[in-house]
Amino acid sequence: MCRFIVDGFLIVYQLGICCVYIMFIGTSIKQVLDIYIEPMNERYYMMMILIPLVAINLIRNLKLLAPFSQAANIITFVGLGIVLWYIFTDLPPINSRPLIGEPRKYTLFVGTTLFALEAVGVVLALENNMKTPASFGGATGVLNVGMTIITIMYVGMGFFGYVKYGENSAGSVTLNLPNKDVLSQAVKLIFAFAIFITYALQAYVPVDIIWNTYMKKRIQNWDKTTMEYLLRISVVLVTFLLAVAIPLLELFISLFGALCLSVLGIGFPALIEICVLWPERNFGRFNYVLIKDIILIIIGILALVLGTYISLQDIARKL
């Protein structure tokens, strides 16, 4: 039962990431093209990228997606440099912004943070496909080094982005850049392209779980390659339809972070650790490991319930 629950949360979370990617691409393209052509709803721009998304998601081998991911990383670093230039140009004093937010938004913050940092599905897929999986863990392994760098970048970008734009901060700081500036338009298109070419990497996880765990062994009378391609197309269509139906970028980020990662990133790891250590009661001095895990489980449940409820409430208000 637990396996099905974990698989379910992983699938929903990864599909949520794909939805957010489609929203981000559509909104970024809209901000650029609205300057040059008759303004249109972002849904039309999402429709324009549907066929390319289907095409890139038909790539079945994760190793073939690696060059796309590498290209996206290079493009992203170039875009980040330009974004930082905009942020630090005429940066207002830190004390000009409220330093404490509304308590109601804390759960949205938790959901957004979990969404940003807890790439559970992709992490597992990358480790399984590494040539030397032993290099993934450890104090100076790929995971810790990568997450340290990413965390510093997130904190710095989020902090100074808020100092720059305050309460007007959008779901992505790139959406706050001046629309009529050619350089900012280039940045938005850079990030839209980077997100587009990594869409297949995020969609790989739900396809892999659904296909290899639940579908492949049960298909007897149909061509398996054809059925896998149909599954990949279906994943794109589901995420596309959801993104088009409710194009609320920042609220979707918080919703899927609270709904899935409060369980996958906080609750379940603590619960699994308790189950592993329980037979020998090896919880350390004063049972500090057990106490820590119980606290994490409570935090995960609170983040799940409150974060999901507030995110859905805010989505309902904006529809």
Side-chain angles (χ1 to χ4, degrees):
M1 176 60 73
C2 290
R3 186 189 72 179
F4 298 124
I5 294 174
V6 172
D7 284 347
F9 276 114
L10 269 174
I11 292 170
V12 171
Y13 168 61
Q14 293 297 144
L15 292 178
I17 291 180
C18 293
C19 291
V20 170
Y21 276 19
I22 294 173
M23 293 178 202
F24 177 84
I25 297 170
T27 304
S28 298
I29 296 175
K30 170 182 168 58
Q31 285 198 347
V32 174
L33 294 187
D34 277 359
I35 305 298
Y36 302 101
I37 63 175
E38 186 71 24
M40 296 190 298
N41 191 285
E42 62 265 24
R43 291 181 173 91
Y44 292 105
Y45 295 109
M46 295 180 198
M47 292 175 63
M48 293 178 187
I49 64 172
L50 176 59
I51 300 301
L53 284 175
V54 170
I56 196 171
N57 198 45
L58 292 180
I59 299 176
R60 301 165 60 194
N61 192 328
L62 188 61
K63 289 183 174 65
L64 295 178
L65 294 175
F68 292 100
S69 180
Q70 187 63 34
N73 288 335
I74 295 172
I75 292 171
T76 299
F77 274 106
V78 173
L80 285 175
I82 300 174
V83 170
L84 288 173
W85 181 80
Y86 273 103
I87 289 176
F88 285 103
T89 300
D90 299 323
L91 185 71
I94 294 175
N95 58 13
S96 65
R97 303 298 185 192
L99 300 182
I100 300 177
E102 301 175 21
R104 185 179 182 279
K105 294 183 178 180
Y106 289 171
T107 53
L108 300 179
F109 161 76
V110 171
T112 303
T113 303
L114 288 173
F115 185 94
L117 294 177
E118 292 282 357
V120 180
V122 175
V123 165
L124 295 175
L126 288 175
E127 182 180 13
N128 292 335
N129 284 270
M130 284 180 64
K131 186 176 182 179
T132 55
S135 303
F136 191 77
T140 58
V142 174
L143 178 62
N144 280 342
V145 173
M147 289 305 297
T148 299
I149 296 172
I150 290 172
T151 301
I152 293 172
M153 291 174 61
Y154 271 131
V155 172
M157 186 67 70
F159 177 78
F160 290 108
Y162 171 71
V163 173
K164 175 71 173 182
Y165 299 108
E167 295 295 325
N168 295 321
S169 298
S172 169
V173 70
T174 58
L175 302 179
N176 284 110
L177 302 182
N179 291 339
K180 295 184 179 180
D181 235 358
V182 175
L183 186 59
S184 72
Q185 294 172 7
V187 170
K188 293 173 184 179
L189 293 178
I190 283 174
F191 277 103
F193 181 70
I195 291 297
F196 166 77
I197 60 180
T198 53
Y199 174 93
L201 185 62
Q202 302 297 338
Y204 177 90
V205 178
V207 169
D208 183 64
I209 295 173
I210 295 172
W211 177 249
N212 289 316
T213 306
Y214 300 101
M215 285 185 63
K216 190 174 182 179
K217 297 178 181 178
R218 292 175 171 81
I219 294 176
Q220 303 295 336
N221 301 323
W222 298 83
D223 181 68
K224 291 187 177 182
T225 302
T226 302
M227 293 302 296
E228 183 180 354
Y229 280 132
L230 289 176
L231 173 62
R232 291 178 174 276
I233 294 172
S234 299
V235 166
V236 177
L237 291 177
V238 169
T239 56
F240 167 77
L241 291 174
L242 189 56
V244 168
I246 313 174
L248 300 173
L249 180 63
E250 62 275 10
L251 292 179
F252 255 69
I253 291 175
S254 178
L255 172 63
F256 283 104
L259 177 62
C260 300
L261 291 176
S262 56
V263 176
L264 291 175
I266 300 177
F268 269 126
L271 182 60
I272 291 171
E273 186 174 40
I274 291 175
C275 293
V276 171
L277 299 179
W278 187 263
E280 298 180 0
R281 304 295 195 276
N282 187 20
F283 294 116
R285 192 175 183 182
F286 304 118
N287 289 326
Y288 78 93
V289 175
L290 178 62
I291 295 171
K292 175 206 67 175
D293 288 339
I294 291 174
I295 293 174
L296 287 175
I297 291 171
I298 294 172
I299 292 174
I301 293 173
L302 289 175
L304 168 65
V305 175
L306 295 178
T308 302
Y309 172 76
I310 293 177
S311 296
L312 289 174
Q313 191 178 59
D314 286 349
I315 289 174
R317 286 176 179 174
K318 291 194 175 184
L319 289 179

